[in-house]
Amino acid sequence: MTQPPQPPPPPNEPPQGGFGAPQDPPPGGFGAPQQPPAYGYPQAPPPRGPGYGYPQAPQPGYGYPQQPPQQQPGYGYPAAPPPPTPPGGGSGGGGKKINAQMMIIIAAAVAVALIIVGGVWYASGKDDNSSGKDESKGTSGSTEGGKDGKGRDSPAFGGEGKEKAPADPKSTVAFQVPHPKVTDLTTVEGSWVTDTVYAKSGVSQVVGYDPVKGTQKWVIPLPGNVCAATKHVTQDNKTAIAFEAAKRTAAEKYQRCTEVGVIDLNAGELLWSKSTKGANGGDQKVDFKEVTIGGPTVAAGGTSGGAAWNLADGAPRWVPKIDPEDCYDMGYAGGEALATVRKCGPYENRYLVVQALDPATGAPLSSYKMSAGIEWASIVSSKPLVVAADVGDSAGDGSGISDFFSIDEKTGKLRSKITVDADRYAAQCASTEVESCQKVVVGNGRIYVPTEEHEGAGEYSRTNEIVSFDLTTGKATTDRADAGDRYTMSPLRMDGGNIIAYKSPPYDEGGQIVSIDGRALKQTVLMENPGDKAVRSAETSFSLNHAELRYANGRMYLSEILISKPTDSTQKDYLVVAFGTG
C-alpha cells in the first residue's frame, strides 16, 4: 500500500545537537543507523508506514470495526448513545429544526462513542476457544478472577513484587557500549543483571560492567564465540552459556557450538566448561543449540540429543543415548523446574513428547504426547508447564504460536488448550528452539499476552493491550491493561504477582517500563526514557524481536544478539545502551 505523507515535525522538536546523556557519546553521534544494516543483521520488520510508532494513516486490523457494530456490545461495555433529542421532540412532527451547531455536537458525540466501543471490542471480542460465549470482556482495573472470580485470592497468585517506583521515573542514558568490530554475522547472545554487575556477551568473551557507570569490572576470555545463553540466573548469581571451541578465522569462518560452561557473575569467572560425545560413539562432539538452568542442573539440547551437568562442579548427569523410538531431546526449559521437548519416530511420522524431568537424573516425571502434525513446540514456562505450538502451521505469521497448552507437570494431563488468533495476539516463539518465547509471561495461574497493535483514539494513533487466559479453564479472563494512546506494550517478566512490561514509544517520546499490578491491573511507571531525538532513535533502533531487554533495580539495558560489519563506516552502532533513574 502507498504510504501517507509524513506530518510536519512537532513544533517543540528538540535541538539536533548533543546527546543529552550524562557522558558525551563517542565520535560519530549517538543514534540509530542511517543506512540499512547488512543482511541478517537484527532489524525491525518492514514498517507499515513511515516507521514504528510514527503517525500514519489509520489501518484497520483484522476484526477491527469500521462501522458501528450491529449487534449489542458485550455486557458491561458502553453502547453508542442515541443522538440527543432536540428541543420540541426532534426535527419532525412540528418540532424545531436542528441547526448546524446542534448537528456538529451530535456528530461529535456519536464519533466519540464509536471510538470507545470500537477500541474495547478489539481487545475483548469473542475468542475461538470461548464456545460461543464472550469470556474476554474486561477493563483496566478489573478485579475479577477466572471462572469463579476468586483467582486473584488463590495460592497461584505470585505475591508482592520487588521492583518499586523511584521518586522520579524520568531516566537518563547511563552508558553505551560500542559495537564490536566484526567481519561476518556474529552471535553475541546473553545478558544478565545482578545487584552488582551487568554482564554481556561480546566477541569470544563475556564482559562484566558496573551497572550504573558502565566501566568494566571483569572480562572472561573464551576460546570462541558464545552461541547460546540462558536467561536464568541462580540465587548466588551463576548462569550458563554454550560457546564455540575455537575462534573464527578467514579460513574457518564458522565453528561448531560444542562447549557448555557456567559463569560466576559475582567473581567474573568461568567455573567450568564441558562437552560430550554423540550417542553413536566415536570422538565427534555433540553440537548444541540452546542451554538452560533448572534447579541444580545445566542442560543443553540440539538435534543430536540433550546432555546435562551438575551446576556446582560440571559432573555429568546424562548424555545423549540411542532410543528405540528414535527420540532425542530437542532442548530444555529451566527456571523453577526442568522440562524438555522430545522429537520421536521415523522421519516420515515424527511426533513430539513434552516431559517434566527430574533435574538430578533426567528421568521423566510426566509425559504429554502432542497431536500428530505438530512439528515444533516451545516451552513458555516449566512450572506451571505451558507449551506453545503452531498447530498445522495455522498461525501463518511466523510467530510460531497458534495455541498454548497448559499441562499438569505431575500427571502429564492436558489442563487446557488456549487458541490464540495470530491476527489478534502478538506473542512469538522461535519454533525450532524450545526456550525462546518472547512477549509472553506466565504467573498468577494465567498466561499474559499482548494484542496486536491497532488503531488508537487519536489521529494516526496505534496502541494495544495486555490480556490474559486462565491456565485451568483455558478461558480469557477479564484482565486488560491498556498501553495508552500511541504506545504499544509487551510483557517482559513476572515480578511476584506483577507484570513488568515495556511500552514502545511513539515518534516523539521515549519508551517506558511499567509494573502492572496483577490484582487491580493498575500500572505504575518505573522508568520513562528521554524523548530527545538522538536518544529515542538509539532506543528504537533495537528491535524487541531481535534484541535483549533487561530491567532491574531502576536500570534498563538494551543489547544486540546478532551483529555484523556495519554498512557505513561513518555511523556509530552500539552493542548496549543502558538507562537509569535516580
Side-chain angles (χ1 to χ4, degrees), residues 170-253:
K170 292 188 181 299
S171 71
T172 56
V173 175
F175 62 88
Q176 317 96 43
V177 178
H179 189 290
K181 294 181 179 180
V182 295
T183 57
D184 293 291
L185 190 66
T186 303
T187 302
V188 285
E189 183 178 354
S191 56
W192 310 269
V193 183
T194 74
D195 291 339
T196 60
V197 71
Y198 167 74
K200 173 62 186 171
S201 297
V203 179
S204 297
Q205 63 182 7
V206 177
V207 182
Y209 302 90
D210 182 285
V212 178
K213 300 176 182 179
T215 53
Q216 286 192 11
K217 299 185 69 173
W218 47 256
V219 177
I220 300 174
L222 298 171
N225 290 331
V226 173
C227 40
T230 181
K231 63 184 178 181
H232 302 295
V233 177
T234 65
Q235 290 186 347
D236 59 350
N237 294 328
K238 294 181 177 62
T239 192
I241 58 174
F243 53 94
E244 297 168 356
K247 285 184 171 60
R248 298 180 179 184
T249 65
E252 296 288 341
K253 292 186 177 181

Side-chain angles (χ1 to χ4, degrees), residues 317 335 501:
R317 290 196 183 275

